Amino acid sequence: MTDNGTSLNPFDTAKQQVDIVADLLTLDSGVRKVLKRPMRELTVNFPVRMDDGSVEAYTGYRVQYNMARGPSKGGIRFHPAVTLDEVRALAAWMTWKCAVVNIPYGGAKGGVVCDPTKMSKREIERLTRRYTSGIAIIIGPEVDIPAPDVNTDSQTMAWIVDTYSQQRGYSVPGVATGKPISLGGSEGRAEATGRGCAYVIREAAKDLGLRVKGSTLAVQGFGNVGCAAANILYDEQGTKVVALSDVFGGIYNPDGMNPHAVEAHRIRTGSVVGFPGARPITNAELLELKVDLLVPAALEHQITEKNADRIQAKIVGEGANGPTVPTADRILFEKGIMVLPDVLANAGGVTVSYFEWAQNVQSYYWPLSEVNARLEQVMVRSYREVARVAQERKVHQRTAAYVLAIQRVVEAMRVRGIYP
Ligand code: NAD
């Protein structure tokens, strides 16, 4: 079920996306079939002892979609609405995202059907450890590397590393990324997604002849991704931050706001709402503001055929996963709005996850300046490659990113050949 009540099966969407690109690339029908199926899927049903002594039964999944380009990589989600098809779709999207930024990974995803908001921290720890134990037969630093996703965080990753390491008998920090720095996490990982988003927006603005300095920015979802993107565009590009929002509502000040001050207000009060000097607006109004740059960094399905026509931004940088529905994509394209697709615009997170893993396997840690410089290199190169394909094929950037990604996966499959 989507948040707007329609029941789209995300895996059907993921397969349709493959078909569109397979048509464009005139892919062989056998290759097309392979690209629409996950390579390996594991379902684990397992018990967890609750704090009151009772036992609950849980179901979890780990789907490894494609490993042609390297070990698979993807987050773990704890949510009551997790389904196998959702995990399959997310695993497919991870495959394309890693390929767009050309990091040597395939794609995977995991999920446990549970409601962590109704569980104690100790219950979540036991659930994480037992789920990890269940999927330990198919994960590992050379096989498949989990990371945080919805309702999981660096603490969850620390429990995964510890559980896996206990089973192996030695410490294996490279089995998961997004870890606390004290356990081999990378400098710069926390803000990497927002930072990567800021870099691709800067590059796109150059192409449009838009000066980022002084250009106006609205961010929906002032969380991990949205806050980092706003801070970095403000600090490093001189962008004027005019609107910000969270689940409680939005704030607008056409004269601009210091996002660090808004962040301090949010930390103090729990929301951006009530920030001095700004007037309240709704999340829907924020999306339709006359701004140069718009970063949807909250939820999926925010820009639809119902509001796409009223979007006025020149560049939309998708910090969130799937904020724009396909029908809206077409409308934005026809209006001449440049949409930087999620698989590119929010790939900074998985890129620094890759750096974290590389540091773990070498046991050699990089300073923040090196992490950020390498991230910038990857994001700028990837943006340029996507922009080139978009121009050559006269398609929007989302299709261009998929073309680039699927070509890379298909090429790796071709040179490997079919075993046996
Ligand atoms: P977060 O929880 O830190 O922040 C989410 C923000 O969105 C919060 O400000 C929250 O209040 C707001 N929000 C939630 N529901 C809302 C609603 N109904 N209307 C308006 N705002 C709402 O999460 P995050 O890590 O910043 O992730 C945001 C998005 O970015 C998600 O789509 C996530 O999948 C995607 N993403 C995150 C990363 C990462 O590294 N964190 C990487 C890639 C993609």
Side-chain angles (χ1 to χ4, degrees), residues 77 97 149 189 193 220-226 245-247 283 297-299 302 319-321 346 349:
R77 175 172 293 198
K97 191 180 294 189
D149 191 65
R189 174 63 187 88
T193 306
Q220 185 198 41
F222 196 60
N224 181 335
V225 176
S245 75
D246 58 30
V247 67
N283 266 288
L299 299 174
Q302 294 302 295
N321 282 315
N346 70 33

Side-chain angles (χ1 to χ4, degrees), residues 30-41:
V31 172
R32 185 188 291 242
K33 275 186 215 160
V34 175
L35 290 175
K36 290 199 289 184
R37 285 171 206 207
M39 183 200 86
R40 185 182 288 146
E41 307 180 335

Side-chain angles (χ1 to χ4, degrees), residues 96-168:
W96 317 138
K97 191 180 294 189
C98 292
V100 169
V101 285
N102 212 1
I103 55 179
Y105 281 146
K109 203 82 181 189
V112 178
V113 189
C114 65
D115 186 353
T117 63
K118 301 206 169 89
M119 298 169 73
S120 72
K121 188 168 175 191
R122 286 209 307 265
E123 287 169 342
I124 296 171
E125 176 177 353
R126 287 195 291 270
L127 174 129
T128 303
R129 288 184 181 278
R130 186 64 192 243
Y131 167 69
T132 305
S133 175
I135 64 167
I137 51 171
I138 61 162
I139 62 170
E142 287 162 346
V143 195
D144 177 14
I145 307 115
D149 191 65
V150 176
N151 293 328
T152 57
D153 57 16
S154 58
Q155 175 61 75
T156 324
M157 297 308 112
W159 290 327
I160 291 176
V161 167
D162 187 63
T163 305
Y164 188 85
S165 301
Q166 295 303 330
Q167 293 196 354
R168 289 292 175 279

